[in-house]
């Protein structure tokens, strides 16, 4: 197999990546101290003793919000790219940006309507609504 | 952006608009038939746009921004994609009618996937390839896991997500390697590099191997096939149909652009890899299906074998093999829609479980003779029995393979077909076997023929037989694939 | 006008589809209207197209209506076109015209049968296939129709499938004709390999250029085609299926096993006559087979007691005449006889069907007798049909058979001529035997009745009761029209001269003048002999049956010269024997290794489908590495 310079550079790159990983993992294994105490396997939270098991369930809403943030914030980033070239891209660019914003808005409307932005699930919302007007509930049941 | 370009891009624009419209429709008025109609209407408009373009225009290649080109091959692909999508949509309507949770979002997902497939059909640049492939795969992850209450669905979704992401990574790593050599991301330049690849270009070769692996995953070629049965099994039946048809179709158009459209035949080194993949897919696919009792898994394996057959055309240079590819794709799509269609219609009212075990179909003929006749005809077509569309497709591929003296491939195809007849006929014999009264597993709705899904099935049946008896128009139409 | 041609076979096809899908839902009347009407429309279209053809004769002698390109893959190109020339028009008229009359009769005959719609649907499918056979301009399409009519024949022979014997008869017909079909398929392969086309016109143009007269390949092809023709037309040595085919309903025997399908072999030889002309040996075989078959069948018919079997053997013998004519190069008389035979044999079969129904499903002529008083119209039909069959002057059969014998003589085929002449004598003997025993003499059915009552438990339900005639129009009209055709059919002039060559008359030798009258003399002699033997002195045949030697010959004739026995001994017995010693199936054991191996491989492959995500990823990764290794480290 004949060789070309680009192949060598790639080969060197791959070797370097592998080498770095090996060195990092290997050195820490070699040099790091080992200790085996009772508390070693406990979760470490800034010195505070953990109060509950670590596999507690976070509400899915946290993830949802994170995803919405990524979607809308990152997509808004595209508008910056447009903003610096508004004049160059002209009306075509304007129309395209308008379509883009419209689609973002439409998805926002969609998310709002399906209740993705409500923090409380639909079932609890109903319960809360009943608690605000307990008399209605009571009156109806009597 | 000129009006010609806009006009050429119209199907994609309409598809996009119909997705947004569906989203708004769900937001405004959540109603199953209404939301389905919005998507179906949009896809129909897009189809009309393509067909109008095909009929009236002079079918020129219209490059759009260097990222896409709408040429005859793209239009042919788009027609197939849109027609198949419409078929799947009708199945969804029938299947999800009895579903308890939100039913409308499935149309959104299918619309997005179709947009991805359309993008792939027009892609001439790896950037478009990236967008198209992800747009096609990601909605399908959600589609596979659509019945969230089932563990199996979630499991399938996660498998598909992770493996498909890994495959995309391999694909784009390959792209990057080739880019490092040729300095261009254009698909035609890549295709040129692939045909000229020689032993002193290790970057191109390694890149080609990784691209083949990535694309092979999407087409579920052996050894990148293992996700297929698990995902097909866990997905709702219409989504399985979609995965088996549209999802592979879009990718295959790109594969043709990469491995077939070069000005010179493909490099023998890469050809070896493709031949190996094809042979392995045909044989392993059929072997895996041999003793399978779950119909969905069986069809997954058979689709592996079928795309093995189709890969033969990549090993045969020239326009005739492209024609064969077109014929094969069209016949495969019609037949798959038919088979999955019957499964979906039989499954829909069951709620908790799809009718997928072979026992569910035992003696079906005595209860639903017409539906069973359609299923039988479609299975025979998959097996490639003469006078069905499947025979024509297989005949075209074999004649292409024989023309190029690819005896290994043709031999594998014949062996695999011989095995396949066994497992297809096994189902057929189950359909017609006597069943003791009271042991009927499935109670499908009587009025299936009145639903859109039933109508689609009848049309698919007619088209399938028509193509089997009189394939010439399809041959002519498939010539589109050779114009690029 | 000519563009209406496809409708000719589209109508029966639509009729078939309606009947097949509407089975059990259509009333008998509706099914009859669809089934008979479709063939009627087809006949009307034929008449219209035929009139147009005859008034605007094409210069080339044929109209070709290209329909569509069926398939075009690379160099493999199959175009489908219909061809209408004098020959196909003749066949077309016979199939649709006689076919329509038989359908009409069948709609009466089959009333009350469980499978009424099924019967008519098969019949329509048969007509469509037969039309396909004669209209295709390509041997491939001819073959398609050829197989189609074979299938319909199978379905209709076994129509009353609840009786296992009928199923066996159907299977026998199918298997034996299949032997012939295989020969024909090989002939087509040879032709395609040599000329790259199966278009009949092309073949007729190319074959004489490529092959010299008597070339070995030409002889092989012609002999193989003859094999196909012999199978379909029930000639020696593949004739044994036809008598068994009488298990089907009588209209089926009339349409398929007398008027149309069995003459397909004659049509095939006429259609490809250029190929046969290239091989004098094959021509000799055609004539020889015809002559031997007509004699053997004639003797056999003498001893039969089943009314339909007599007619079946007579059909065999009449087709023998057609083969004989073709062997002598006299194609036009052969096709002429094909047509007249269709008329009078259809008439005979339909009348015999009527007789059988009148006798409550009794087919043995020795249980009939004196029927001419009971069913006079049917008797008239039968008599006219028999007169035509025996070539009584100025009936249709007279013209065609006379011309065959005359041309055989003129072309110098004296041995064929002599065989034909003797055959004419035999024909008269056995035909009038049928007439005399069935319609004259003592009323044997009365004895059978008394016999049945004497035992008191005649639960067979037939053989008893007074013969009763039919009085409906759908029974009378077909018979009446066929009656007229059987008489005047000989005056029809067929437009065949542009398609089929004239026979090569050797050197103007017309022979002595009495030659032309000999066939008539032979028939008359046969009539007289028959009258003497079976009506005046019935004790003579009875005495003959008692003599050892004559009884043995009678038995031989009755069993059709023992061909069934011979084939059983030659083919079936060794096969059964081989199957028996190979009961454990040694070869199947070997073949069984394949599925066993596959099953093993399948379980190996299935073991890889663990369902584990990590394993899948690992396999894909390993595959990728392998791929890179294959590509990069070639």
């Amino acid at each position: 197999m004949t060789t070309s310079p680009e192949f060598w550079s790639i080969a060197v790159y791959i070797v370097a990546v592998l080498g770095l990983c090996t060195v990092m993992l290997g050195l820490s294994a070699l040099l790091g101290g080992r200790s085996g105490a009772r508390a070693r396997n406990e979760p470490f939270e800034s010195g505070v003793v953990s109060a509950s098991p670590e596999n507690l369930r976070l509400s899915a809403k946290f993830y949802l919000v994170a995803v919405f943030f990524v979607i809308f914030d990152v997509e808004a980033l595209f508008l910056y790219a447009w903003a610096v070239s508004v004049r160059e891209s002209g009306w075509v660019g304007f129309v395209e940006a308008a379509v883009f914003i419209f689609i973002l808005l439409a998805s926002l409307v969609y998310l709002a309507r399906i209740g993705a932005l409500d923090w409380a699930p639909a079932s609890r919302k109903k319960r809360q609504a009943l608690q605000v007007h307990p008399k209605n509930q009571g009156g109806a049941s009597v | 952006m000129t009006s010609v370009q806009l006009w050429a891009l119209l199907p994609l624009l309409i598809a996009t608009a119909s997705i947004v419209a569906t989203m708004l429709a769900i937001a405004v008025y959540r109603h199953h038939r209404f939301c389905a109609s919005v998507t179906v209407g949009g896809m129909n408009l897009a189809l009309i746009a393509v067909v109008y373009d095909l009929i009236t225009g002079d079918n020129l290649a219209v490059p759009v921004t260097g990222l896409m080109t709408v040429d005859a091959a793209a239009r042919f692909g788009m027609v197939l994609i849109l027609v198949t999508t419409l078929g799947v949509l009708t199945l969804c309507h029938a299947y999800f009618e009895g579903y308890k949770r939100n039913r409308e979002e499935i149309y959104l997902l299918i619309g997005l996937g179709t947009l991805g497939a359309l993008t792939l059909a027009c892609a001439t640049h790896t950037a478009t390839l990236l967008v198209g492939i992800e747009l096609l795969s990601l909605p399908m992850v959600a589609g596979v896991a659509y019945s969230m209450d089932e563990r199996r669905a979630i499991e399938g979704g996660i498998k598909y997500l992770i493996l498909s992401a890994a495959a995309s990574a391999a694909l784009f790593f390959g792209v990057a390697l080739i880019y490092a050599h040729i300095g261009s991301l254009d698909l035609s330049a890549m295709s040129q590099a692939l045909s000229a690849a020689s032993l002193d270009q290790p970057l191109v070769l390694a890149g080609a191997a990784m691209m083949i692996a990535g694309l092979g995953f999407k087409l579920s070629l052996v050894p990148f096939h293992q996700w297929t049965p698990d995902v097909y099994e866990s997905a709702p039946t219409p989504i399985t149909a979609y995965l088996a048809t549209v999802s592979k179709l879009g990718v295959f158009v790109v594969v043709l652009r990469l491995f077939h459209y070069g000005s010179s035949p493909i490099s023998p080194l890469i050809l070896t890899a493709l031949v190996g993949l094809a042979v392995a897919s045909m044989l392993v696919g059929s072997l895996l299906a041999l003793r399978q009792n779950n119909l969905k898994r069986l069809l997954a394996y058979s689709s592996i074998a079928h795309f093995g057959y189709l890969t033969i055309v990549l090993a045969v240079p020239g326009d005739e093999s492209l024609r064969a590819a077109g014929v094969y794709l069209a016949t495969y799509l019609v037949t798959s829609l038919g088979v999955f269609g019957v499964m979906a219609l039989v499954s829909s009212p069951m709620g908790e479980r799809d009718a997928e075990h072979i026992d569910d179909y035992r003696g079906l003929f005595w209860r639903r003779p017409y539906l069973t006749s359609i299923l039988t005809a479609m299975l025979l077509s998959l097996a490639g029995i003469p006078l069905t569309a499947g025979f024509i497709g297989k005949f075209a591929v074999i004649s292409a393979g024989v023309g190029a003296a690819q005896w290994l491939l043709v031999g594998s195809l014949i062996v695999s077909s011989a095995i396949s007849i066994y497992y297809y006929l096994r189902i057929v014999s189950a359909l017609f076997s006597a069943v003791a009264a009271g042991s009927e597993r499935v109670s499908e709705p009587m009025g299936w023929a009145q639903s859109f899904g039933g109508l689609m099935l009848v049309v698919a049946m007619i088209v399938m037989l028509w193509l089997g008896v009189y394939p010439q128009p399809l041959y002519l139409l498939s010539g589109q694939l050779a114009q690029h | 006008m000519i563009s209406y041609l496809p409708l000719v076979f589209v109508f029966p096809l639509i009729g078939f589809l309606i009947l097949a899908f509407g089975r059990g839902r259509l009333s008998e009347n509706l099914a009859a209207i669809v089934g008979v009407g479709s063939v009627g429309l087809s006949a009307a279209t034929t008449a219209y197209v035929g009139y147009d053809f005859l008034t605007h004769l094409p210069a080339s002698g044929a109209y070709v209506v290209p329909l569509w390109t069926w398939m075009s893959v690379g160099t493999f190109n199959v175009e489908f076109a219909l061809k209408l020339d004098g020959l196909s028009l003749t066949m077309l008229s016979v199939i649709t015209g006689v076919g329509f009359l038989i359908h009409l009769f069948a709609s009466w005959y089959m009333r009350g049968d469980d499978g009424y719609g099924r019967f008519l649907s098969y019949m329509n499918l048969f007509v469509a296939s037969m039309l396909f056979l004669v209209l295709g301009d390509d041997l491939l399409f001819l073959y398609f129709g050829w197989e189609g009519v074979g299938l319909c024949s199978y379905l209709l022979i076994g129509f009353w499938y609840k009786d296992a014997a009928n199923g066996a008869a159907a299977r026998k017909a199918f298997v034996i004709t299949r032997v012939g079909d295989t020969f024909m398929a090989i002939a087509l392969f040879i032709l395609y390999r040599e000329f790259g086309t199966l278009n009949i016109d092309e073949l007729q143009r190319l074959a004489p250029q490529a092959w010299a007269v008597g070339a070995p390949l030409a002889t092989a092809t012609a002999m193989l085609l003859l094999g196909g023709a012999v199978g379909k037309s029930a000639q020696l040595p593949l004739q044994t299926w036809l008598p068994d085919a009488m298990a089907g309903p009588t209209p089926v025997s009339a349409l398929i096993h007398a008027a149309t399908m069995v003459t397909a072999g004659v049509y095939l030889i006429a259609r490809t006559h250029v190929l046969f002309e290239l091989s004098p040996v094959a021509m000799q075989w055609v004539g020889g087979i015809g002559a031997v078959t007509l004699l053997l069948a004639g003797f056999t018919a003498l001893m039969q007691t089943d009314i339909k079997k007599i007619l079946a053997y007579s059909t065999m013998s009449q087709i023998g005449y057609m083969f004989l004519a073709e062997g002598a190069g006299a194609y036009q008389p052969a096709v002429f006889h094909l047509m007249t035979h269709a008329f009078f044999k259809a008439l005979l079969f339909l009348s015999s069907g009527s007789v059988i129904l009148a006798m409550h499903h009794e087919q043995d002529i020795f249980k009939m007798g004196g029927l001419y008083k009971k069913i006079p119209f049917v008797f008239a039909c039968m008599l006219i049909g028999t007169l035509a069959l025996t070539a009584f002057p100025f009936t249709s059969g007279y013209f065609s058979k006379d011309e065959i014998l005359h041309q055989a003589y003129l072309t110098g085929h004296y041995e064929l001529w002599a065989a034909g002449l003797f055959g004419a004598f035999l024909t008269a003997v056995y035909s009038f035997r049928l007439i005399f025993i069935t319609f004259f003499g003592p009323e044997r059915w009365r004895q059978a009745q008394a016999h049945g009552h004497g035992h008191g438990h005649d639960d067979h339900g037939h053989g008893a009761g007074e013969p009763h005639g039919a009085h409906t129009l759908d029974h009378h009209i077909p018979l009446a029209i066929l009656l007229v055709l059987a008489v005047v059919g000989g005056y029809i002039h067929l437009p065949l001269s542009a398609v089929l060559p004239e026979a090569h008359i050797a050197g103007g030798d017309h022979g002595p003048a009495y030659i032309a009258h000999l066939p008539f003399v032979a028939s008359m002699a046969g009539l007289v002999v028959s009258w003497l033997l079976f009506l005046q002195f019935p004790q003579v045949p009875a005495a003959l049956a008692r003599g050892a030697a004559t009884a043995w010959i009678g038995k031989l004739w009755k069993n059709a010269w023992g061909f069934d026995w011979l084939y059983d001994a030659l083919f079936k017995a060794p096969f059964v024997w081989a199957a028996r010693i190979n009961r454990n199936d040694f070869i199947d054991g070997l073949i069984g290794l394949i599925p066993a191996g596959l099953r093993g491989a399948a379980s190996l492959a299935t073991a890889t489908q663990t369902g584990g995500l990590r394993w899948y990823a690992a396999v894909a990764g390993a595959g990728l590495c392998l791929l890179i290794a294959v590509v990069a480290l070639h």
Side-chain angles (χ1 to χ4, degrees), chain B residues 155 158-159 162-163 170 199 205-206 209-210 212-213 223-227 229-230 268-270 272-273 277 284 287-288 290-291 297 301 320 370 392 395 399 419 468-472 475, chain C residues 21 25 67-74 76 144 595 597-603 605-613 615-617 619-624 627-628 630-634:
Chain B
E155 181 190 325
I158 287 180
K159 271 182 190 163
I162 292 179
L163 289 173
L199 277 177
L205 291 180
M210 301 198 79
I212 291 174
F224 313 105
H225 65 289
Q226 288 183 306
W227 60 279
D230 291 12
L269 303 169
I270 296 170
T272 315
L277 243 57
V284 174
L287 279 179
L288 281 168
L290 195 63
R291 303 182 72 188
R297 291 185 78 91
Y301 292 133
E320 203 50 53
Y370 291 100
I392 300 298
F395 179 81
S399 82
I419 301 175
V469 176
Y470 182 39
Q472 189 59 21
Y475 271 105
Chain C
F21 284 98
R25 260 169 246 152
L67 286 188
W68 58 68
T69 303
W70 182 58
M71 191 194 255
S72 166
V73 189
F76 179 75
F144 187 79
L598 284 178
R599 225 167 276 148
S603 19
T606 312
T608 62
Q609 291 289 348
T610 58
L613 183 54
W615 165 247
Y616 287 0
V619 170
L624 176 58
L627 208 57
I628 294 178
V630 166
V631 171
L633 311 172
H634 202 57

Side-chain angles (χ1 to χ4, degrees), chain A residues 128-138:
Chain A
Q128 283 169 344
L130 292 178
Q131 278 166 3
V132 174
H133 308 286
K135 278 182 186 159
N136 291 353
Q137 174 73 18

Side-chain angles (χ1 to χ4, degrees), chain C residues 126-300:
Chain C
F126 167 77
V127 170
S129 317
M130 191 71 201
L131 292 170
F132 215 71
L133 194 163
V134 297
L135 280 176
D137 76 328
D138 193 294
L139 283 181
L140 188 63
F141 283 93
L142 189 148
Y143 191 72
F144 187 79
W146 188 271
E147 293 296 318
V149 294
L151 170 71
C152 295
S153 164
Y154 168 79
L155 291 172
L156 284 165
I157 295 171
F159 179 73
W160 286 313
Y161 54 87
K162 283 178 186 156
D163 185 349
N166 294 343
R171 199 169 57 225
K172 183 174 174 187
F174 198 68
V175 170
I176 291 180
T177 50
R178 180 54 33 145
V179 175
D181 293 355
T182 311
F183 287 130
M184 182 167 159
I186 297 172
L188 298 197
F189 297 154
I190 292 179
L191 287 172
Y192 189 77
R193 204 188 68 141
E194 291 297 310
F195 303 115
T197 178
L198 287 175
N199 184 293
I200 295 168
D201 289 336
E202 291 280 297
L203 288 177
Q204 305 229 359
R205 193 172 56 78
L206 291 172
Q209 294 169 6
W211 288 338
V213 172
L217 209 51
T219 303
T221 312
M223 289 302 284
L224 287 166
L225 282 176
L226 175 62
V230 158
K232 202 55 118 192
S233 290
Q235 299 291 294
L236 212 67
L238 297 178
Q239 86 286 27
T240 55
W241 65 270
L242 188 61
D244 291 1
M246 295 301 128
T250 307
V252 171
S253 312
L255 179 61
I256 302 185
H257 304 118
T260 54
M261 185 191 83
V262 286
T263 55
V266 180
Y267 171 79
L268 176 70
I269 295 177
R271 196 33 108 199
T272 56
H273 64 90
V274 172
L275 298 173
F276 279 88
E277 304 264 293
L278 288 176
S279 164
V281 183
M283 286 293 271
Q284 279 175 11
W285 273 95
V286 173
I289 285 178
V292 175
T293 310
L294 86 89
L295 290 179
L296 292 187
F299 281 117
T300 310

Side-chain angles (χ1 to χ4, degrees), chain B residues 19 125 128 138 153 156 165 171 196 237 267 351 379 387 393 397 400 415 421 425:
Chain B
I19 295 165
H125 194 274
T128 339
L138 287 178
L171 171 61
T237 306
S267 153
L379 287 170
L387 288 184
V397 168
V415 170
I421 287 175
L425 288 189

Side-chain angles (χ1 to χ4, degrees), chain C residues 371-397:
Chain C
L371 287 179
Y372 73 97
K373 284 170 290 195
K374 295 281 170 193
I375 37 176
F377 178 63
V378 177
F379 167 64
C381 294
M382 205 80 180
L383 185 64
I384 295 292
T386 305
L387 288 177
L389 173 63
T390 54
F392 194 79
F394 310 114
T395 58
S396 57

Side-chain angles (χ1 to χ4, degrees), chain C residues 511-531:
Chain C
Y514 63 83
I515 289 297
H517 303 299
L518 277 182
F520 173 64
V521 175
S523 301
M524 282 304 114
L527 170 58
V528 172
V529 167
S530 183
W531 179 70

